[in-house]
Amino acid sequence: MTYLYAEKSGEDHASQFVQQVKEYQLDFSLSNLLPNNYYPIPKVYLSSRIEGEKLIYKNIKKRHFLQKKELTVACVNPKQIAQIYPFVQIIDSQQIHASIESLRYDLPGLPPNIFSVPEITVIEKNSKDSVKKITEFCFYFTGNAKIQPLLSFIEQAQVEERVFTLGPRSSQGLNLYTISAIKVEENLAFPEAELFLNLGLLLPNQFDFDRSFIEIYTSERRGYENYGERNQKTKKQFISFIGAGSIIAQENNQKEQISKSINTPSHLKNNAITFGQSFLYPMPDLKGVTYESFA
């Protein structure tokens, strides 16, 4: 989104936009890319409710995303998890490749170099025997009137059927996306909500850790390198986020201050930030939640 902003309005305006996000001037938050109409399952919260029950935990573990009503059922009674359909599951696998070294170096007789690269498949299970591959995804973002330029750029990209690359191996036709629809979500505000389902990668600022259920996601961060710099040894930088599916409890009605963005280490890239202001989906108090109140 930042690259799109820079392309349409220039790097200076994009830098200003990034700085305003960091300083909470835009009320901007952003989710991960999610299967359409699905939400990440709060595994840590659910697991805390079924301590010692391995079969139930196994069923929780294989469900990565649930729809809103099914998510409520799981939160109210985790022991029903095995009967909850549909759900979305992520399948990890390895894709085998062969590099023909004899052709690459024009040296007949060299054996091929066999290697593998990771691959994930996102599937929807509507029953034990019904499986469908997911190809439609969505993301959520919030903001005040100051993000109107960004929204206009996204709307223009939809009209132009612009192709976005969100991941590796785009030359093989993988990880390519277009914007099919832009919608304003209604009924996302529970005035009494103190708990939120984290939908993205969150850098913690101020919230109630004691009442939260947190899953940690650690990632290696690398800055952009020019071609001539790629073989130079650079110090690796790792950062831990609060992952999607965590339940976050706000403190002192300071929802806007729950998360933050931070300055990216200077050896990776100057004048950049690591974004951590994740989209938080409001939930009522889980202790007294009813199916109707959340649906």
Side-chain angles (χ1 to χ4, degrees):
M1 295 173 75
T2 305
Y3 288 138
L4 178 65
Y5 202 108
E7 176 187 318
K8 298 295 185 180
S9 65
E11 290 190 6
D12 289 342
H13 285 91
S15 296
Q16 183 182 17
F17 169 78
V18 168
Q19 192 62 33
Q20 288 177 326
V21 168
K22 181 175 181 291
E23 295 174 356
Y24 303 104
Q25 296 178 15
L26 302 178
D27 298 331
F28 186 82
S29 66
L30 179 68
S31 77
N32 288 351
L33 198 66
L34 307 169
N36 196 28
N37 294 321
Y38 278 90
Y39 300 89
I41 186 171
K43 292 185 179 180
V44 174
Y45 169 75
L46 296 178
S47 298
S48 72
R49 300 275 306 278
I50 49 95
E51 292 183 5
E53 303 191 49
K54 295 182 179 179
L55 182 59
I56 299 175
Y57 177 75
K58 183 178 179 180
N59 279 288
I60 291 174
K61 190 174 180 180
K62 72 179 183 180
R63 287 163 168 80
H64 296 96
F65 300 91
L66 292 175
Q67 294 182 355
K68 184 165 62 176
K69 291 183 179 180
E70 285 69 30
L71 180 65
T72 306
V73 173
C75 289
V76 173
N77 187 359
K79 294 183 180 181
Q80 293 183 2
I81 194 74
Q83 287 77 46
I84 293 179
Y85 290 90
F87 66 86
V88 167
Q89 185 176 24
I90 296 177
I91 306 297
D92 294 298
S93 60
Q94 295 288 323
Q95 189 180 77
I96 305 301
H97 289 254
S99 175
I100 311 301
E101 303 294 280
S102 59
L103 296 177
R104 182 179 179 184
Y105 296 107
D106 195 22
L107 293 173
L110 285 178
N113 180 25
I114 307 297
F115 62 97
S116 66
V117 294
E119 180 179 20
I120 65 169
T121 304
V122 185
I123 63 169
E124 181 184 59
K125 301 195 74 172
N126 290 293
S127 67
K128 293 182 179 180
D129 302 317
S130 175
V131 176
K132 181 179 71 173
K133 188 175 181 180
I134 294 287
T135 59
E136 293 186 356
F137 298 84
C138 69
F139 64 91
Y140 298 87
F141 68 96
T142 63
N144 56 25
K146 292 182 180 180
I147 71 161
Q148 183 58 45
L150 174 62
L151 182 57
S152 297
F153 299 150
I154 295 174
E155 290 172 340
Q156 184 179 353
Q158 179 191 6
V159 173
E160 296 172 351
E161 298 183 345
R162 177 182 177 132
V163 177
F164 291 88
T165 301
L166 302 178
R169 290 180 285 158
S170 59
S171 61
Q172 302 175 31
L174 301 176
N175 297 311
L176 300 176
Y177 299 82
T178 58
I179 299 174
S180 60
I182 302 171
K183 300 179 181 178
V184 177
E185 277 287 344
E186 304 290 348
N187 302 320
L188 278 183
F190 294 97
E192 73 285 1
E194 295 184 3
L195 299 178
F196 298 87
L197 178 66
N198 179 34
L199 300 190
L201 296 180
L202 184 150
L203 290 174
N205 185 37
Q206 180 181 352
F207 61 87
D208 190 337
F209 281 84
D210 292 336
R211 294 194 299 124
S212 299
F213 297 84
I214 294 172
E215 185 171 354
I216 301 299
Y217 175 88
T218 299
S219 119
E220 181 183 351
R221 317 302 288 177
R222 293 186 181 184
Y224 174 80
E225 295 174 336
N226 292 321
Y227 182 77
E229 301 172 339
R230 291 178 185 172
N231 293 325
Q232 297 180 7
K233 291 184 178 180
T234 58
K235 181 181 178 182
K236 291 184 178 180
Q237 180 75 24
F238 294 88
I239 187 168
S240 291
F241 297 87
I242 293 176
S246 298
I247 298 291
I248 307 298
Q250 70 171 317
E251 186 175 64
N252 300 323
N253 296 318
Q254 295 293 321
K255 177 179 179 293
E256 292 76 14
Q257 304 294 323
I258 284 177
S259 59
K260 65 181 178 181
S261 296
I262 61 174
N263 292 328
T264 301
S266 59
H267 73 273
L268 292 180
K269 190 174 182 181
N270 293 324
N271 301 321
I273 70 167
T274 297
F275 181 79
Q277 289 159 241
S278 176
F279 187 99
L280 297 170
Y281 183 88
M283 302 179 72
D285 186 346
L286 293 176
K287 294 179 180 178
V289 68
T290 65
Y291 184 86
E292 291 76 18
S293 66
F294 189 63

